[in-house]
Amino acid sequence: MRKLQIDVVELPLARPFAIARGTRTAVTVIRVTLEQEGFIGQGECTPTARYDETPDSVKAMLEAVRTDVESGLSHHDLQHRLPAGSARNVLDCALWRLDATRANQTLWQKSTCSQPESVITAETLSLDTQECMALAAADAVSRGALLLKIKLDRNAILEKVAAIRAAAPHATLIIDANEAWSGLELESLLVALKAFNIAMVEQPLPAGQDHDLKRFKHPIPVCADESCHTRADIAGLRDRYEMINIKLDKCGGLTEALAMVDEARTLNMRIMVGCMLGSSLAMEAALPVAVNAEFVDLDGPIWLAADSSPFLSYSQGHIWL
């Protein structure tokens, strides 16, 4: 018989984190611990208001399946018991870890993914003034960052990118607009951004309102984030996007994320793996997806005032494994 423990934990941030939708100084995560015959499996998710989630709503979904989980629900059967989202993710990852531990395997072995020495991850530049973002970029590259993810809204886009490129002339730059560029002339904006050697732009338009992306050939690859949740979404995005961003909290866990990798490859879509703010417990679960991705954005723990086990090692622009 399994035991399920659900904990709601508030994680203060080391500094404010701002995107086009708002600013945060802390993040609330839900952690699940499964215990079976002395073996432990844990997971972590971050309920997200953008997807109509709250800590209370996610906890209620977990309580609704408690009996099934404690009676032995598998991570395969879980896919049919809960919809894609944070609640399924936290249980799915806990079940993956529990199954791996019971089989005396690592998560890498259980997922049949080869473990590399390290993975290059983006370091996110929080939305701020032009001057502050340039300073943040200079600081990041001075610490060895190789890939910078720039959070932008509609204001001073080119000016901020120019200042960041000047501060980080050799870094790979990607941009995340978080759906904020409605009403802008996208083709000319992307042409202008190409001059700064931008490698990718993520979700410039709101999900469901991104048809303008079909109008022109993109001078920079465009990645679907809020528009892409599960493998069922991918085929319908090929006329608007070149890439998808796989996040465990969106798709509902590692099981679906690995299926999304296979589907994206079948459909010749490029792959990014991203995260919500969270600890190393959440990031580690996404690493088997990261080794299949062109861009990795798993920097959540570096924004926290204090991380949690398994305490991934972040330095010189890498996650060291």
Side-chain angles (χ1 to χ4, degrees), residues 286-309:
L287 287 173
V289 186
V291 296
N292 294 286
E294 183 175 345
F295 293 117
V296 175
D297 175 26
L298 296 176
D299 69 339
I302 72 174
W303 285 89
L304 302 181
D307 194 11
S308 303
S309 178

Side-chain angles (χ1 to χ4, degrees), residues 43-313:
E44 178 183 293
C45 71
T46 303
T48 304
R50 170 63 182 80
Y51 303 121
D52 300 318
E53 295 176 337
T54 67
D56 286 344
S57 71
V58 171
K59 187 175 181 182
M61 293 179 74
L62 296 173
E63 291 290 359
V65 296
R66 176 185 286 275
T67 300
D68 288 345
V69 172
E70 293 188 334
S71 297
L73 184 75
S74 71
H75 66 83
H76 292 294
D77 291 336
L78 174 65
Q79 311 309 306
H80 308 290
R81 291 288 286 111
L82 287 176
S86 295
R88 194 174 78 188
N89 174 38
V90 71
L91 274 177
D92 188 67
C93 292
L95 286 166
W96 269 91
R97 288 188 172 107
L98 179 63
D99 290 348
T101 301
R102 294 181 68 202
N104 195 30
Q105 292 180 316
T106 66
L107 193 60
W108 291 101
Q109 291 169 327
K110 191 68 179 175
S111 63
T112 67
C113 294
S114 299
Q115 180 178 345
E117 180 182 7
S118 67
V119 174
I120 295 174
T121 184
E123 181 164 336
T124 302
L125 303 181
S126 176
L127 180 64
D128 208 326
T129 64
Q130 175 180 325
E131 294 75 16
C132 288
M133 293 185 79
L135 287 171
D139 175 64
V141 295
S142 75
R143 290 182 282 101
L146 304 170
L147 172 63
L148 300 179
K149 179 174 177 176
I150 308 168
K151 291 288 190 179
L152 292 173
D153 56 15
R154 298 169 57 87
N155 300 313
I157 294 169
L158 295 177
E159 293 84 353
K160 289 178 179 180
V161 170
I164 290 165
R165 174 50 80 199
H170 305 298
T172 299
L173 301 183
I174 58 178
I175 290 172
D176 187 1
N178 286 114
E179 307 179 280
W181 289 359
S182 293
L184 301 182
E185 207 329 286
L186 281 182
E187 184 172 10
S188 60
L189 178 56
L190 293 179
V191 168
L193 288 170
K194 184 176 175 63
F196 297 104
N197 195 23
I198 301 301
M200 179 268 285
V201 172
E202 189 179 346
Q203 198 70 42
L205 300 175
Q209 302 175 37
D210 49 8
H211 300 290
D212 191 47
L213 291 170
K214 297 190 289 186
R215 179 177 54 83
F216 61 96
K217 184 176 180 180
H218 306 159
I220 298 171
V222 181
C223 178
D225 181 5
E226 287 86 349
S227 290
C228 186
H229 289 239
T230 69
R231 78 189 98 165
D233 299 322
I234 300 174
L237 297 172
R238 288 182 296 167
D239 60 354
R240 282 163 281 175
Y241 297 95
E242 289 75 36
M243 181 177 289
I244 60 165
N245 187 347
I246 300 173
K247 292 180 180 175
L248 270 58
D249 274 325
K250 283 190 306 177
C251 73
L254 183 57
T255 303
E256 177 64 19
L258 292 172
M260 291 181 74
V261 169
D262 291 340
E263 181 73 359
R265 285 176 167 170
T266 298
L267 297 174
N268 294 316
M269 292 284 279
R270 296 157 70 179
I271 298 168
M272 173 182 183
V273 61
C275 66
M276 309 303 182
L277 289 170
S279 78
S280 286
L281 181 61
M283 305 305 128
E284 186 200 45
L287 287 173
V289 186
V291 296
N292 294 286
E294 183 175 345
F295 293 117
V296 175
D297 175 26
L298 296 176
D299 69 339
I302 72 174
W303 285 89
L304 302 181
D307 194 11
S308 303
S309 178
F311 298 105
L312 294 174
S313 176

Side-chain angles (χ1 to χ4, degrees), residues 18-45:
I19 67 172
R21 284 192 291 268
T23 302
R24 307 180 77 168
T25 58
V27 58
T28 301
V29 302
I30 292 182
R31 291 179 179 159
V32 157
T33 302
L34 297 176
E35 186 275 328
Q36 184 173 350
E37 300 171 345
F39 296 100
I40 299 292
Q42 292 184 305
E44 178 183 293
C45 71

